[in-house]
Amino acid sequence: MTDSSQKKQPQAEEKKYPLNLPDTPFPMRGNLPKREPAWIKEWLEKDVYGKVRAARKGAKRFLLHDGPPYANGNIHVGHAVNKILKDIILKSRTLEGFDAPYVPGWDCHGMPIEIQIEKKYGKNLPEEEVMAKCRAYAKEQVKSQMAGFQRLGVLGDWNDPYLTMRPETEAEEIRALGEILGKGFIYRGLKPVNWCFDCQSALAEAEVEYKDRQSPTLDVAFPISDEDRGKLEDIFGVKLEKPTAVVIWTTTPWTIPANQALNMHPDLEYVLVETPNRSFILAEGLYEEALKRYGMEGKVIAKAKGEAFKGIRFKHPLATLDPFYDRFSPVLLADYVESTSGTGIVHSAPAYGVDDYISCKSAGFTNDEILNPVQGNGEYAASLPLFGGLNVWKAKNKILDTIAVTGNLLSRGEVMHSYMHCWRHKTPLIYRATNQWFIRMDEANADTQGVINENDPKDPLRKTALEAVEATQFVPEWGEVRLHNMIANRPDWCISRQRNWGVPLPFLIHKETGKLHPETMKILNKVADVVEKEGI
């Protein structure tokens, strides 16, 4: 190839692939970290959102409610995903011709804010000081989060967001409370609720998360009472030649001091198993595995159905150590008792379990009779014999060792299982019976402890809520199933907390009877009017 032909080759390629570059003011690099803030500043100064609203005035509306974040910290990826997705939807609807406003909001009350104040200033501050600091902190966080959301490029009515701590909003909450009360859906009662020792408060279902936790396991014998030994012999049709006891299996040794009953399934078969030294009552399908745990051998000498044991009284396993525990634990019948693990008999401490509470209340236990020695901070009351003042989690070994002294501890071990925890502190929760205010999901019009019924709702709240769910179109469709199941299965809604920062329940209660003031509805309206002017 000659030199001349080599020079012609590039010229041929230039003709084949011409490159035409436009003359544009756009820079080669995006440089977004510097340029985006300038755009956002311009949007705010020119009130782009307001002009969009004016341009779409009178058009068909598309509304997207903004579930408010808590005003308690810097925004994170979860906030970003939430806000950006909503912004995409609203801007796309606006481009389609809809009037699609966006009103941002913040939840300014509650535990998340109050906990931040406790971390910063400590606990046990005067109530008014806590409320003032919470309000100031929430206001500061709203300002900070708002700047973060604006930086994401979200357009909205930033000059007039909705805040739960606005006096007019707080007043409307109290008026809504009165409306629900007037329909007979609010009552006060002693019931086990999710309780956090760190929050020292009841928790809502949404504030509970589950993670694995290692818990102790124990099999405990409850000896038959002398008074009912003859009745037990009649049930089995045999003479009891040896000391006899019913055996329970549990993962919560801290509840044993508060035991008040035993639960057996009415349709299960229970066997009387004779071992060299004692006889035990166990579920028929579980006794062999139970004996292995106890390191014992035995034989079945009789059996009977659970329903036959109703009312038979056994003794508390610590009865011989202190007069406080020298009491009966009667057998109650309960369908929730399982036959897949344990012994087929469940010990019942009504203050510390929903099923236990229901079965004992159904058997006639009064609120005053229910033992509740665990205090809000997780310690046993100082007056509790043998364990007073101990933390319930740290008392595990002492409780086990004390039961062992009586000869009623048949086995001990450990199990890893899913257990409820506080979503804030990541610490384990318990069920704890406390006097709380509840919204009744069923049985409307029940006049419990002075609840005032002004109106006559046709249906229970649960039915009304489920009908509303069915009448709503969900996108995606699985959202309907999720919400339906949550409402269908949820217990009565606990609305009272032992905290300072939140809209109060302005109820005046008779010190002796516990009933609400007869003028409660008028009082609520008066309080709401004052709150609307001055805040909570």
Side-chain angles (χ1 to χ4, degrees), residues 190-194 261-265 332-338 346-365 370 420 431-433 489 491:
L190 180 77
K191 290 181 65 177
V193 294
N194 299 313
L262 299 164
N263 284 310
M264 301 175 75
H265 197 291
L332 309 178
L333 302 181
D335 291 335
Y336 73 85
V337 177
E338 296 181 353
V346 176
H347 107 85
S348 181
Y352 306 120
V354 176
D355 290 327
D356 295 358
Y357 175 85
I358 293 172
S359 66
C360 285
K361 289 291 287 185
S362 299
F365 280 63
I370 292 177
M420 57 186 185
Y431 283 110
R432 178 172 178 262
N489 298 319

Side-chain angles (χ1 to χ4, degrees), residues 274-288:
E274 187 177 72
T275 70
N277 297 316
R278 302 170 73 178
S279 295
F280 301 111
I281 301 168
L282 301 158
E284 184 177 28
L286 297 170
Y287 83 91
E288 292 179 333

Side-chain angles (χ1 to χ4, degrees), residues 71 78 112 117 202 261 267 281 313 346 386 392 403 411 435:
I117 297 304
D267 298 326
I281 301 168
R313 295 170 296 176
V346 176
L386 306 179
V392 296
I403 298 174
S411 80
N435 273 307

